[in-house]
Amino acid sequence: MNSAVYLLDTDNCRRARAFTRLSHPPRVLKTRAEVTTAFAERAASIFVAVHADSWLRWLARSAPYQGRHRLLVLDRLDEARGEVLRGLFASVVVPHGALRLLPPDELAEAVAAPNAADLIIGGVVDAGAGVIRFIKGDLVSLVVPVTTFKPTHRGASRPDFEAMELTDYGQTVKLGSYEAGADAILYEHDPEYRRRAKARLRVSDTSFGGSLRRLRLQRGLGRADFPGIAAKEIARIERGEVKKPHASTITAIAAALSVRPEDVGTY
């Protein structure tokens, strides 16, 4: 079940408005009583704040309930304030120079989405350690090795870890011209996601287009990486607009993906 999302303040800035304009916006907590009541809830929730000032002392007085909820701060914090907040929340996500986050509107949609745990909203590359820390929409972190992102089988696209970008409302990680799907990353490295995905697969998208998208992203290919097939045609197939691709199209797709034509629809 998706966590409850609360907005701690509503400064008139684009980042806050991105949350208040949602079709189902988070509840805005305006008083000390509302903040402490929400913080005392037993179920883990997500709190979103533009700043971390006036309400911080209120939370500090709710000590028995520390360590369960998660916090997304939309503005930068000084180091001391960040350390205090990390003592109050199970996880704290704060913008800083190395952290890449979704654009504000996409960030709001992803954090409030019913499938927030299946989306990637941010990431930090540690080139020295050879890992990337991804942040999911439920503000839970996942650390994966950079070797996860292999060049395409023809070497046409290689990951550029200095140019990481999160797009598609948390569904895609871009490393320069290289793209990887959040679903492929999570399927490989997040056991909880894998269990959810397998359960969904039994009742959801078992179409040829859905299989093609999963396999394409697992192979690290873009939609333009299919010789003889326009990227728009691949997109139409993945969206289900082409129910029965021509046999020659399937053969070309299979060749680019290094699988047999009859196996493309099984992923």
Side-chain angles (χ1 to χ4, degrees), residues 189-207:
H189 296 284
D190 185 343
E192 289 298 323
Y193 174 86
R194 198 154 50 242
R195 280 190 282 272
R196 292 193 301 274
K198 287 181 178 179
R200 285 196 302 269
L201 191 58
R202 290 193 290 267
V203 295
S204 61
D205 186 7
T206 58
S207 67

Side-chain angles (χ1 to χ4, degrees), residues 152-154 212 215-216 219-229 234 248-261 264:
T152 61
H153 66 284
R154 297 191 305 276
L212 170 58
L215 181 55
R216 174 178 66 80
R219 292 288 193 268
L221 296 182
R223 294 190 179 104
D225 292 330
F226 293 83
I229 308 174
I234 294 296
S248 59
T249 300
I250 295 176
T251 299
I253 288 172
L257 295 169
S258 300
V259 297
R260 297 181 303 175
V264 176

Side-chain angles (χ1 to χ4, degrees), residues 5-266:
V5 180
Y6 297 108
L7 189 62
L8 281 166
D9 45 40
T10 55
D11 282 22
N12 189 27
C13 68
R14 180 187 175 193
R15 290 165 295 180
R17 290 198 303 272
F19 283 88
T20 58
R21 287 198 303 253
L22 293 173
S23 57
H24 298 286
R27 179 186 170 191
V28 179
L29 305 179
K30 298 180 178 180
T31 68
R32 172 177 176 176
E34 290 175 338
V35 171
T36 53
T37 297
F39 202 58
E41 292 177 357
R42 296 296 177 180
S45 299
I46 292 175
F47 290 76
V48 180
V50 178
H51 308 294
D53 297 319
S54 60
W55 48 266
L56 179 56
R57 60 176 58 89
W58 303 345
L59 295 186
R61 294 171 184 171
S62 302
Y65 310 103
Q66 292 176 11
R68 180 165 43 256
H69 306 301
R70 303 168 194 139
L71 174 67
L72 170 63
V73 181
L74 304 178
D75 207 358
R76 298 195 178 203
L77 296 176
D78 62 49
E79 186 175 347
R81 181 65 51 79
E83 289 303 316
V84 171
L85 290 170
R86 289 181 180 89
L88 292 170
F89 290 88
S91 67
V92 178
V93 177
V94 182
H96 59 78
L99 176 64
R100 300 290 183 266
L101 289 171
L102 284 169
D105 291 345
E106 295 189 18
L107 179 65
E109 291 275 1
V111 170
N115 65 329
D118 300 339
L119 304 172
I120 294 177
I121 65 166
V124 178
V125 177
D126 185 337
V131 298
I132 301 177
R133 175 203 173 201
F134 288 116
I135 301 167
K136 300 190 297 178
D138 60 356
L139 307 191
V140 173
S141 292
L142 180 71
V143 177
V144 307
V146 297
T147 52
T148 296
F149 308 97
K150 298 177 176 61
T152 61
H153 66 284
R154 297 191 305 276
S157 180
R158 294 179 177 275
D160 180 356
F161 297 106
E162 294 183 359
M164 184 168 66
E165 180 184 358
L166 292 308
T167 64
D168 294 341
Y169 295 87
Q171 297 181 88
T172 304
V173 175
K174 295 184 69 175
L175 301 166
S177 62
Y178 183 102
E179 288 188 5
D183 50 359
I185 296 169
L186 297 176
Y187 194 91
E188 182 173 354
H189 296 284
D190 185 343
E192 289 298 323
Y193 174 86
R194 198 154 50 242
R195 280 190 282 272
R196 292 193 301 274
K198 287 181 178 179
R200 285 196 302 269
L201 191 58
R202 290 193 290 267
V203 295
S204 61
D205 186 7
T206 58
S207 67
F208 180 88
S211 295
L212 170 58
R213 181 179 183 275
R214 286 189 291 272
L215 181 55
R216 174 178 66 80
L217 291 173
Q218 286 172 7
R219 292 288 193 268
L221 296 182
R223 294 190 179 104
D225 292 330
F226 293 83
I229 308 174
K232 288 183 178 179
E233 182 67 7
I234 294 296
R236 291 183 66 235
I237 294 172
E238 291 183 349
R239 290 195 299 266
E241 296 173 11
V242 179
K243 299 298 183 184
K244 293 182 178 180
H246 293 297
S248 59
T249 300
I250 295 176
T251 299
I253 288 172
L257 295 169
S258 300
V259 297
R260 297 181 303 175
E262 61 267 29
D263 288 341
V264 176
T266 66

